[in-house]
Amino acid sequence: MSINQQSYAYGASKSSIREIAAYGAARKAEIGASNVYDFSLGNPSVPAPNAVRESIERSLDLPPVALHGYTPANGLPIARQAVADSLNRRFGSSYGADDLYLTCGAAASISIALNAVCREGEEVIVIAPFFPEYRVFIENAGAICVEVLADATTFQIDVDAVAAAITDRTAAVMIDSPNNPVGSVYARENLEQLAQAMAERSEALGRSIYLISDEPYREIAYGVDVPWVPGLYARTIVCYSYSKSLSLPGERIGWVLVPNTNPEHDQLVPAIAGAGRKMGFVCAPALFQRVLVDCVDEPTNIEAYARNRKALTEGLRKIGYEFIEPQGAFYLWMRALEPDANAFFERAKSYELLPVPSDSFGCTGWVRVGYCVSYETIVDSMPAWQALWDSYQA
Ligand code: PLP
């Protein structure tokens, strides 16, 4: 047997988030769903807006050949134009349909962006803690994942550490704000400092360093500014998806944007198309491309997440837990009550609490509590969080 060992290793090793979720599902079947507090997955708990359903129903009246046929590899022009127009309204830009490539969600967007810019053996810097799939996507692009820890107190980007990690092999820096797993939003000043440091290092090294901004949580922010990154750093590529903003993770729809302000736009656009072609990431789901035409400006319903966030932060604060105040996404980053987050998780599990240990995200001593769950789960879990806390006070 001669198979690709890298692919085998990715398939054979399990994602710890999915393992915890599978344990949660089995445990619910055993002791009843309301007795297990599963905070592991980032699956939106808010339904997709009605406008999505209405749009699908309208599309169903199209002739089947048109409805189900191939679209252009980069997506229907009207869908790409709708996205460009929406971005232009929001950010005062002048993007066109051809600056966008529609994808099967952010996972594909990131893989395409990385494959477009990385050459074999180059490095991509990620800010730890980070979404664990980044490593897989980076290695698939033939590059090396270089982890740089976020600031230990604020979990904003440690710009000096990023600057120090940039070498003559750095192809890109990847950021994700609002952040999974921390729930932080990078402040404008922090991003401006990053942009300046990257520009200085690029100049000193005489090479282009791209900023890949992964933004599936852009719309889920609690009253804080989420800066538009291409306005701060010219060599930015934006990766987006509607998995979280329109609660459509199973439908696989998103995009990559090469802003027309990127000085290498004219080389990057074909490189993005070529990366999509290489990986077979062409013709994103046609029905959902049409949904974008109708729903691109549909507001994200963040009320339920905001309510959950309030109940969770108030409840945990009252007990005494330490956490990073969540500013966006639907995750809370909480300090484990012992240095070993895996041991803390095991103890939490015995109280039927299922957060995700921080080791999965590239740092130690914390857990991620995903609050894209029902409000009742948050409220009902509080006695268990209290009992877990008490168990450490003896
Ligand atoms: N990037 C981040 C930070 C995520 O949290 C996720 C999914 O949870 C993705 C990318 C992948 O999103 P998609 O479902 O659009 O592929």
Side-chain angles (χ1 to χ4, degrees), residues 211-274:
L211 184 53
I212 299 179
S213 185
D214 175 31
E215 309 193 347
Y217 301 97
R218 162 167 288 282
E219 270 62 58
I220 307 175
Y222 308 102
V224 291
D225 170 37
V226 182
W228 182 238
V229 181
L232 304 176
Y233 186 73
R235 286 186 172 80
T236 297
I237 299 172
V238 183
C239 298
Y240 186 80
S241 108
Y242 297 88
S243 295
K244 319 289 172 171
S245 56
L246 292 182
S247 296
L248 295 173
E251 308 301 353
R252 317 307 301 138
I253 188 77
W255 45 256
V256 186
L257 169 76
V258 178
N260 52 7
T261 43
N262 187 315
E264 284 152 42
H265 172 270
D266 293 355
Q267 289 79 44
L268 281 169
V269 168
I272 292 284

